[in-house]
Amino acid sequence: MSTRLQAGDTAPDFTLDDADGTPVSLADYRGRKVVVYFYPAASTPGCTKEACDFRDNLAELNGAGIDVLGISPDKPAKLATFRDNEELTFPLLSDPDRGVLTAWGAFGEKKLYGKTVTGVIRSTFLVGEDGTIVDAQYNVKATGHVAKLRRDWKV
């Protein structure tokens, strides 16, 4: 089981390919706040709801100086299809070996329909301009999550 991050921790750096195969690094966002959210699988009902929720609130988040990155174990081609089908306007990053998911505590044991399984733990982080974790939320709900974040972060 991976260690969970908390406010004040340094965000583990990463470079992952986006839906077009272009490398994107967390370091690219230094000087801005960024939401890094982890989701189990592109084009599934809950993950689609969550991604569309970020898409629909992106202008307000960007207006508050917050960018958004979504990370899943999906390959870039699947992410590209998901992005295009849902008209997503923020980067989706591919972590097929789950190294970044594990480093952020977003891969491990979880409950699914009453059973303990190993998989992606739906998680959301707010990383500050200096690269430290401002907020870490694990086992989040896909529906209504962005509204809760906006209330919590006063965006």
Side-chain angles (χ1 to χ4, degrees), residues 45-64:
C47 296
T48 299
K49 271 188 184 134
E50 185 177 27
C52 291
D53 203 7
F54 275 112
R55 176 200 65 205
D56 295 346
N57 286 277
L58 195 60
E60 288 82 1
L61 291 167
N62 289 166

PDB file of all heavy atoms in Angstrom, residues 45-64:
ATOM      1  N   PRO A  45     -18.629   5.461 -16.548  1.00  0.00           N
ATOM      2  CA  PRO A  45     -19.637   6.437 -16.123  1.00  0.00           C
ATOM      3  C   PRO A  45     -19.154   7.438 -15.066  1.00  0.00           C
ATOM      4  O   PRO A  45     -19.309   8.646 -15.232  1.00  0.00           O
ATOM      5  CB  PRO A  45     -20.778   5.569 -15.598  1.00  0.00           C
ATOM      6  CG  PRO A  45     -20.651   4.285 -16.356  1.00  0.00           C
ATOM      7  CD  PRO A  45     -19.166   4.085 -16.531  1.00  0.00           C
ATOM      8  N   GLY A  46     -18.575   6.955 -13.965  1.00  0.00           N
ATOM      9  CA  GLY A  46     -18.144   7.859 -12.904  1.00  0.00           C
ATOM     10  C   GLY A  46     -17.017   8.772 -13.356  1.00  0.00           C
ATOM     11  O   GLY A  46     -17.012   9.972 -13.055  1.00  0.00           O
ATOM     12  N   CYS A  47     -16.070   8.216 -14.086  1.00  0.00           N
ATOM     13  CA  CYS A  47     -14.925   9.011 -14.543  1.00  0.00           C
ATOM     14  C   CYS A  47     -15.353  10.049 -15.576  1.00  0.00           C
ATOM     15  O   CYS A  47     -14.804  11.155 -15.614  1.00  0.00           O
ATOM     16  CB  CYS A  47     -13.838   8.097 -15.088  1.00  0.00           C
ATOM     17  SG  CYS A  47     -13.165   6.998 -13.808  1.00  0.00           S
ATOM     18  N   THR A  48     -16.338   9.718 -16.385  1.00  0.00           N
ATOM     19  CA  THR A  48     -16.862  10.672 -17.359  1.00  0.00           C
ATOM     20  C   THR A  48     -17.563  11.816 -16.634  1.00  0.00           C
ATOM     21  O   THR A  48     -17.348  12.988 -16.956  1.00  0.00           O
ATOM     22  CB  THR A  48     -17.815   9.971 -18.348  1.00  0.00           C
ATOM     23  OG1 THR A  48     -17.068   8.975 -19.045  1.00  0.00           O
ATOM     24  CG2 THR A  48     -18.415  10.953 -19.330  1.00  0.00           C
ATOM     25  N   LYS A  49     -18.385  11.483 -15.621  1.00  0.00           N
ATOM     26  CA  LYS A  49     -19.055  12.533 -14.831  1.00  0.00           C
ATOM     27  C   LYS A  49     -18.034  13.475 -14.217  1.00  0.00           C
ATOM     28  O   LYS A  49     -18.182  14.699 -14.272  1.00  0.00           O
ATOM     29  CB  LYS A  49     -19.884  11.900 -13.703  1.00  0.00           C
ATOM     30  CG  LYS A  49     -21.275  11.558 -14.076  1.00  0.00           C
ATOM     31  CD  LYS A  49     -22.048  11.119 -12.840  1.00  0.00           C
ATOM     32  CE  LYS A  49     -23.423  10.696 -13.265  1.00  0.00           C
ATOM     33  NZ  LYS A  49     -23.891   9.470 -12.712  1.00  0.00           N
ATOM     34  N   GLU A  50     -17.002  12.906 -13.607  1.00  0.00           N
ATOM     35  CA  GLU A  50     -15.995  13.722 -12.928  1.00  0.00           C
ATOM     36  C   GLU A  50     -15.235  14.602 -13.931  1.00  0.00           C
ATOM     37  O   GLU A  50     -15.053  15.799 -13.693  1.00  0.00           O
ATOM     38  CB  GLU A  50     -15.018  12.812 -12.175  1.00  0.00           C
ATOM     39  CG  GLU A  50     -14.011  13.568 -11.346  1.00  0.00           C
ATOM     40  CD  GLU A  50     -13.097  12.651 -10.557  1.00  0.00           C
ATOM     41  OE1 GLU A  50     -12.874  11.501 -10.979  1.00  0.00           O
ATOM     42  OE2 GLU A  50     -12.590  13.103  -9.520  1.00  0.00           O
ATOM     43  N   ALA A  51     -14.805  14.028 -15.047  1.00  0.00           N
ATOM     44  CA  ALA A  51     -14.059  14.798 -16.053  1.00  0.00           C
ATOM     45  C   ALA A  51     -14.913  15.926 -16.625  1.00  0.00           C
ATOM     46  O   ALA A  51     -14.438  17.058 -16.793  1.00  0.00           O
ATOM     47  CB  ALA A  51     -13.572  13.873 -17.169  1.00  0.00           C
ATOM     48  N   CYS A  52     -16.171  15.640 -16.912  1.00  0.00           N
ATOM     49  CA  CYS A  52     -17.068  16.672 -17.457  1.00  0.00           C
ATOM     50  C   CYS A  52     -17.340  17.759 -16.420  1.00  0.00           C
ATOM     51  O   CYS A  52     -17.501  18.933 -16.772  1.00  0.00           O
ATOM     52  CB  CYS A  52     -18.358  16.049 -17.965  1.00  0.00           C
ATOM     53  SG  CYS A  52     -18.102  15.028 -19.448  1.00  0.00           S
ATOM     54  N   ASP A  53     -17.368  17.384 -15.145  1.00  0.00           N
ATOM     55  CA  ASP A  53     -17.538  18.347 -14.071  1.00  0.00           C
ATOM     56  C   ASP A  53     -16.339  19.303 -14.031  1.00  0.00           C
ATOM     57  O   ASP A  53     -16.508  20.519 -13.923  1.00  0.00           O
ATOM     58  CB  ASP A  53     -17.690  17.592 -12.747  1.00  0.00           C
ATOM     59  CG  ASP A  53     -18.394  18.377 -11.665  1.00  0.00           C
ATOM     60  OD1 ASP A  53     -18.904  19.485 -11.938  1.00  0.00           O
ATOM     61  OD2 ASP A  53     -18.434  17.871 -10.523  1.00  0.00           O
ATOM     62  N   PHE A  54     -15.127  18.775 -14.151  1.00  0.00           N
ATOM     63  CA  PHE A  54     -13.945  19.651 -14.222  1.00  0.00           C
ATOM     64  C   PHE A  54     -14.012  20.523 -15.471  1.00  0.00           C
ATOM     65  O   PHE A  54     -13.753  21.722 -15.410  1.00  0.00           O
ATOM     66  CB  PHE A  54     -12.648  18.841 -14.198  1.00  0.00           C
ATOM     67  CG  PHE A  54     -12.177  18.495 -12.817  1.00  0.00           C
ATOM     68  CD1 PHE A  54     -12.183  17.180 -12.375  1.00  0.00           C
ATOM     69  CD2 PHE A  54     -11.730  19.476 -11.950  1.00  0.00           C
ATOM     70  CE1 PHE A  54     -11.747  16.849 -11.099  1.00  0.00           C
ATOM     71  CE2 PHE A  54     -11.292  19.163 -10.661  1.00  0.00           C
ATOM     72  CZ  PHE A  54     -11.305  17.840 -10.233  1.00  0.00           C
ATOM     73  N   ARG A  55     -14.398  19.927 -16.601  1.00  0.00           N
ATOM     74  CA  ARG A  55     -14.515  20.696 -17.849  1.00  0.00           C
ATOM     75  C   ARG A  55     -15.494  21.858 -17.682  1.00  0.00           C
ATOM     76  O   ARG A  55     -15.203  22.991 -18.062  1.00  0.00           O
ATOM     77  CB  ARG A  55     -14.997  19.768 -18.981  1.00  0.00           C
ATOM     78  CG  ARG A  55     -15.251  20.482 -20.308  1.00  0.00           C
ATOM     79  CD  ARG A  55     -16.167  19.670 -21.221  1.00  0.00           C
ATOM     80  NE  ARG A  55     -17.502  19.559 -20.620  1.00  0.00           N
ATOM     81  CZ  ARG A  55     -18.359  18.577 -20.879  1.00  0.00           C
ATOM     82  NH1 ARG A  55     -18.046  17.612 -21.728  1.00  0.00           N
ATOM     83  NH2 ARG A  55     -19.550  18.549 -20.312  1.00  0.00           N
ATOM     84  N   ASP A  56     -16.644  21.582 -17.088  1.00  0.00           N
ATOM     85  CA  ASP A  56     -17.690  22.588 -16.953  1.00  0.00           C
ATOM     86  C   ASP A  56     -17.334  23.690 -15.953  1.00  0.00           C
ATOM     87  O   ASP A  56     -17.943  24.757 -15.969  1.00  0.00           O
ATOM     88  CB  ASP A  56     -19.012  21.926 -16.559  1.00  0.00           C
ATOM     89  CG  ASP A  56     -19.546  21.004 -17.647  1.00  0.00           C
ATOM     90  OD1 ASP A  56     -19.057  21.063 -18.803  1.00  0.00           O
ATOM     91  OD2 ASP A  56     -20.443  20.193 -17.338  1.00  0.00           O
ATOM     92  N   ASN A  57     -16.382  23.435 -15.079  1.00  0.00           N
ATOM     93  CA  ASN A  57     -15.957  24.418 -14.072  1.00  0.00           C
ATOM     94  C   ASN A  57     -14.558  24.966 -14.353  1.00  0.00           C
ATOM     95  O   ASN A  57     -14.015  25.720 -13.543  1.00  0.00           O
ATOM     96  CB  ASN A  57     -15.988  23.780 -12.675  1.00  0.00           C
ATOM     97  CG  ASN A  57     -17.389  23.615 -12.158  1.00  0.00           C
ATOM     98  OD1 ASN A  57     -17.973  24.544 -11.614  1.00  0.00           O
ATOM     99  ND2 ASN A  57     -17.959  22.432 -12.343  1.00  0.00           N
ATOM    100  N   LEU A  58     -14.003  24.618 -15.508  1.00  0.00           N
ATOM    101  CA  LEU A  58     -12.618  24.976 -15.808  1.00  0.00           C
ATOM    102  C   LEU A  58     -12.408  26.489 -15.882  1.00  0.00           C
ATOM    103  O   LEU A  58     -11.400  26.997 -15.380  1.00  0.00           O
ATOM    104  CB  LEU A  58     -12.160  24.302 -17.103  1.00  0.00           C
ATOM    105  CG  LEU A  58     -10.657  24.294 -17.346  1.00  0.00           C
ATOM    106  CD1 LEU A  58      -9.916  23.567 -16.230  1.00  0.00           C
ATOM    107  CD2 LEU A  58     -10.348  23.645 -18.689  1.00  0.00           C
ATOM    108  N   ALA A  59     -13.342  27.216 -16.448  1.00  0.00           N
ATOM    109  CA  ALA A  59     -13.176  28.670 -16.568  1.00  0.00           C
ATOM    110  C   ALA A  59     -13.051  29.321 -15.194  1.00  0.00           C
ATOM    111  O   ALA A  59     -12.184  30.188 -14.987  1.00  0.00           O
ATOM    112  CB  ALA A  59     -14.339  29.281 -17.351  1.00  0.00           C
ATOM    113  N   GLU A  60     -13.890  28.885 -14.243  1.00  0.00           N
ATOM    114  CA  GLU A  60     -13.824  29.447 -12.896  1.00  0.00           C
ATOM    115  C   GLU A  60     -12.526  29.050 -12.200  1.00  0.00           C
ATOM    116  O   GLU A  60     -11.898  29.855 -11.517  1.00  0.00           O
ATOM    117  CB  GLU A  60     -15.030  29.002 -12.057  1.00  0.00           C
ATOM    118  CG  GLU A  60     -16.327  29.650 -12.474  1.00  0.00           C
ATOM    119  CD  GLU A  60     -17.003  28.977 -13.676  1.00  0.00           C
ATOM    120  OE1 GLU A  60     -16.472  27.969 -14.201  1.00  0.00           O
ATOM    121  OE2 GLU A  60     -18.061  29.475 -14.097  1.00  0.00           O
ATOM    122  N   LEU A  61     -12.131  27.789 -12.359  1.00  0.00           N
ATOM    123  CA  LEU A  61     -10.879  27.338 -11.757  1.00  0.00           C
ATOM    124  C   LEU A  61      -9.697  28.096 -12.357  1.00  0.00           C
ATOM    125  O   LEU A  61      -8.847  28.620 -11.624  1.00  0.00           O
ATOM    126  CB  LEU A  61     -10.707  25.828 -11.939  1.00  0.00           C
ATOM    127  CG  LEU A  61     -11.684  24.957 -11.145  1.00  0.00           C
ATOM    128  CD1 LEU A  61     -11.633  23.513 -11.627  1.00  0.00           C
ATOM    129  CD2 LEU A  61     -11.400  25.029  -9.655  1.00  0.00           C
ATOM    130  N   ASN A  62      -9.644  28.170 -13.691  1.00  0.00           N
ATOM    131  CA  ASN A  62      -8.560  28.904 -14.351  1.00  0.00           C
ATOM    132  C   ASN A  62      -8.563  30.370 -13.925  1.00  0.00           C
ATOM    133  O   ASN A  62      -7.499  30.958 -13.706  1.00  0.00           O
ATOM    134  CB  ASN A  62      -8.658  28.807 -15.871  1.00  0.00           C
ATOM    135  CG  ASN A  62      -8.332  27.440 -16.441  1.00  0.00           C
ATOM    136  OD1 ASN A  62      -8.627  27.167 -17.597  1.00  0.00           O
ATOM    137  ND2 ASN A  62      -7.725  26.555 -15.669  1.00  0.00           N
ATOM    138  N   GLY A  63      -9.758  30.952 -13.797  1.00  0.00           N
ATOM    139  CA  GLY A  63      -9.876  32.338 -13.371  1.00  0.00           C
ATOM    140  C   GLY A  63      -9.325  32.575 -11.971  1.00  0.00           C
ATOM    141  O   GLY A  63      -8.876  33.673 -11.638  1.00  0.00           O
ATOM    142  N   ALA A  64      -9.330  31.520 -11.149  1.00  0.00           N
ATOM    143  CA  ALA A  64      -8.767  31.601  -9.795  1.00  0.00           C
ATOM    144  C   ALA A  64      -7.288  31.195  -9.790  1.00  0.00           C
ATOM    145  O   ALA A  64      -6.691  31.019  -8.728  1.00  0.00           O
ATOM    146  CB  ALA A  64      -9.564  30.698  -8.857  1.00  0.00           C
TER     147      ALA A  64
END
